[in-house]
Amino acid sequence: SQQGEEDPQALSIQEGENATMNCSYKTSINNLQWYRQNSGRGLVHLILIRSNEREKHSGRLRVTLDTSKKSSSLLITASRAADTASYFCATVPTGTYKYIFGTGTRLKVLA
Amino acid sequence: GAVVSQHPSRVICKSGTSVKIECRSLDFQATTMFWYRQFPKQSLMLMATSNEGSKATYEQGVEKDKFLINHASLTLSTLTVTSAHPEDSSFYICSAPLMRGGSEQYFGPGTRLTVT
């Protein structure tokens, strides 16, 4: 399977703490994206990082990409209870336009 | 902004019946759309690529006679789950790229299928 791996599978933190999720993938990519999904709901696009970028910020989100290690991380700073959700990375392998999703991290932020 | 809609959002059907799920691109045309399936607490798995005016391309392990895909217009793709069984119960999500060949996609809100 081409599916990416994410770790941890589940993460539980206190409000105000930072949350870090990691994603590893298997092929060369055009870009990597992070999505959030609240329970039973659709996907919310968070951030896209291209293969020639190493780091990107958006509000409380910071994404890094290491193409040599085929890995990415998502950092959520100063977490809030509303950040409780599942987070998925999705890669677009070079030469395709298909999305390959990671296994996901279930984040729980305790108030 | 670009939006992808799905209908219905939730459907319950009896075992052996067929269910059709619609995916529409609003305000933009999509020659290609993608269908995903997501089981509870699992990730999204790509099922097939829907191509306007031609046959869909299915991922390995996905039965094309079970999951019929029709992409009859530039704004509509349909997924029909034929002779549904309880194991087909899942969350089905479609997506469409805003630009032809573009890798940035817009996702529909999903359809929750429950087969009893």
Side-chain angles (χ1 to χ4, degrees):
Chain A
S1 168
Q2 289 187 53
Q3 189 170 39
E5 299 283 331
E6 287 184 59
D7 77 273
Q9 288 187 357
L11 179 61
S12 188
I13 59 174
Q14 293 293 131
E15 208 167 27
E17 293 181 339
N18 295 342
T20 300
M21 289 158 260
N22 302 295
C23 166
S24 60
Y25 56 92
K26 298 181 180 179
T27 67
S28 61
I29 59 172
N30 293 324
N31 63 65
L32 183 146
Q33 305 185 44
W34 284 91
Y35 289 86
R36 184 183 73 214
Q37 184 181 38
N38 289 82
S39 181
R41 308 291 292 274
L43 296 173
V44 175
H45 182 260
L46 295 177
I47 198 165
L48 177 152
I49 186 164
R50 301 190 189 284
S51 59
N52 61 353
E53 298 177 306
R54 291 297 166 258
E55 190 172 310
K56 206 159 181 182
H57 297 254
S58 176
R60 293 184 297 114
L61 305 180
R62 172 177 168 255
V63 168
T64 63
L65 178 64
D66 187 333
T67 53
S68 67
K69 295 181 180 178
K70 291 187 170 59
S71 68
S72 174
S73 68
L74 170 66
L75 168 68
I76 303 175
T77 60
S79 64
R80 305 166 181 167
D83 294 329
T84 295
S86 290
Y87 291 81
F88 296 95
C89 65
T91 55
V92 179
T94 304
T96 79
Y97 41 81
K98 296 181 181 181
Y99 277 33
I100 306 297
F101 281 86
T103 49
T105 294
R106 292 192 304 279
L107 173 67
K108 191 168 188 178
V109 182
L110 304 170
Chain B
V3 174
V4 173
S5 70
Q6 282 183 241
H7 177 80
S9 58
R10 203 175 270 273
V11 57
I12 300 172
C13 71
K14 292 189 175 178
S15 191
T17 61
S18 294
V19 173
K20 181 186 284 188
I21 302 169
E22 294 184 349
C23 176
R24 290 182 187 274
S25 58
L26 306 180
D27 298 328
F28 71 102
Q29 295 180 335
T31 56
T32 303
M33 292 183 176
F34 300 91
W35 287 96
Y36 298 83
R37 180 168 55 184
Q38 184 181 31
F39 292 109
K41 296 188 178 179
Q42 293 189 25
S43 187
L44 282 77
M45 296 298 292
L46 179 64
M47 298 175 66
T49 303
S50 173
N51 304 300
E52 188 269 335
S54 66
K55 291 182 180 180
T57 307
Y58 291 82
E59 296 299 303
Q60 194 172 8
V62 178
E63 299 173 58
K64 59 182 180 182
D65 295 330
K66 172 78 172 172
F67 299 100
L68 299 179
I69 291 172
N70 186 291
H71 195 146
S73 79
L74 288 171
T75 58
L76 173 64
S77 174
T78 60
L79 169 68
T80 301
V81 183
T82 62
S83 187
H85 288 97
E87 56 265 32
D88 298 324
S89 298
S90 189
F91 195 52
Y92 292 87
I93 302 176
C94 70
S95 71
L98 179 60
M99 294 172 59
R100 186 187 179 95
S103 61
E104 296 178 44
Q105 299 188 21
Y106 294 86
F107 285 83
T111 295
R112 172 76 58 197
L113 170 63
T114 302
V115 185
T116 61

